[in-house]
Amino acid sequence: MSVMVVIPERNERETIGDLVSAARAWAPVLVMDDGSSDGTGEIAAERGAKVIRHEVGRGIGPTVLEGLRLASSMGAARVVVMDAGGSHDPQQIGALLARRADLVIGSRFCAGGAYLGGKRWRRMASRWYARACNLAQRGNPISDWTSGYRAYSARVIEALGRRTFEARMHGWQVEALARVREAGLSVAEAPITYVAGRSSARMSTVMELIGVWLQIADHMG
């Protein structure tokens, strides 16, 4: 097995079935069911995914990291992680895999990318946050630090497995990217079309993202 798709989810029964079927056209699918109460995991299994269930939700970060480790242990040399809510198009998996880098980010904001729907302030906040992260950590600028649509190499998975993380929710994407760059691993972006769905962002999400940014800035200082 050279590629595997990992889909972390919680209560996404409306979208998971078709998503799994479409993603399986590219690679085997591992669904990480983080405490769903609506039968999402059962639907995913019926569509042919391997499902790992958490009875109690652990958060995005620990769930994604566990999925990466499991996929790697199953022999996957590259692992694509995507959202379960329909925001990420499985047909764009190929665009991520076509880029040769240790970590490929599906970007909504690089040339050719698009952010459809949702509140304008959400788009602007993601753009400004990316700029702030680029100021906090030296290196080639990244247009979309918070995107969860990513392709990870075995080297990245191994490197992340040696680290501990403070963030558990959306901030984990940012913290993981910073750690990959600190390790000197290559990062590239591929344009994606993102369709905004229901937001899971809360004030705790904002505070976590600010905390991760401060951590990055302090480390570089």
Side-chain angles (χ1 to χ4, degrees):
M1 183 192 309
S2 60
V3 179
M4 195 165 195
V5 177
V6 170
I7 306 175
E9 59 80 12
R10 184 174 188 180
N11 294 331
E12 299 286 4
R13 65 173 292 119
E14 299 299 323
T15 53
I16 195 66
D18 289 345
L19 178 62
V20 166
S21 294
R24 287 186 68 222
W26 291 93
V29 175
L30 174 63
V31 168
M32 303 298 297
D33 184 353
D34 194 35
S36 291
S37 59
D38 66 349
T40 303
E42 288 82 354
I43 295 172
E46 290 170 0
R47 293 296 188 99
K50 179 177 178 59
V51 178
I52 302 297
R53 174 165 173 77
H54 299 160
E55 292 299 327
V56 177
R58 301 178 186 177
I60 294 170
T63 300
V64 169
L65 191 55
E66 181 186 359
L68 291 173
R69 288 168 171 162
L70 286 172
S72 182
S73 72
M74 294 175 192
R78 299 187 78 189
V79 182
V80 176
V81 177
M82 62 187 307
D83 181 73
S87 293
H88 297 154
D89 182 358
Q91 298 306 315
Q92 296 180 318
I93 289 174
L96 273 68
L97 295 176
R99 297 301 305 272
R100 293 301 170 189
D102 290 305
L103 176 63
V104 180
I105 299 169
S107 174
R108 301 163 287 183
F109 305 124
C110 70
Y115 190 127
L116 306 179
K119 301 292 186 181
R120 184 172 181 271
W121 69 264
R122 286 178 59 190
R123 295 195 297 274
M124 295 302 298
S126 294
R127 284 181 176 274
W128 280 106
Y129 188 77
R131 293 176 185 176
C133 288
N134 288 328
L135 289 173
Q137 187 181 62
R138 292 185 294 273
N140 293 330
I142 301 296
S143 69
D144 198 346
W145 277 73
T146 53
S147 172
Y149 202 174
R150 299 180 174 188
Y152 298 78
S153 72
R155 291 207 308 168
V156 167
I157 296 170
E158 181 182 3
L160 293 179
R162 294 195 298 264
R163 305 301 297 260
T164 57
F165 295 90
E166 295 183 13
R168 299 180 62 84
M169 296 305 292
H170 298 281
W172 185 87
Q173 309 287 5
V174 179
E175 193 175 359
L177 174 53
R179 299 294 167 258
V180 168
R181 283 158 56 101
E182 288 169 8
L185 299 172
S186 59
V187 179
E189 292 185 287
I192 62 166
T193 298
Y194 173 88
V195 181
R198 59 184 176 87
S199 175
S200 59
R202 302 288 186 270
M203 181 54 67
S204 59
T205 303
V206 175
M207 297 306 296
E208 183 183 73
L209 287 167
I210 292 172
V212 171
W213 182 85
L214 291 171
Q215 176 197 133
I216 296 170
D218 181 66
H219 182 81
M220 294 305 296

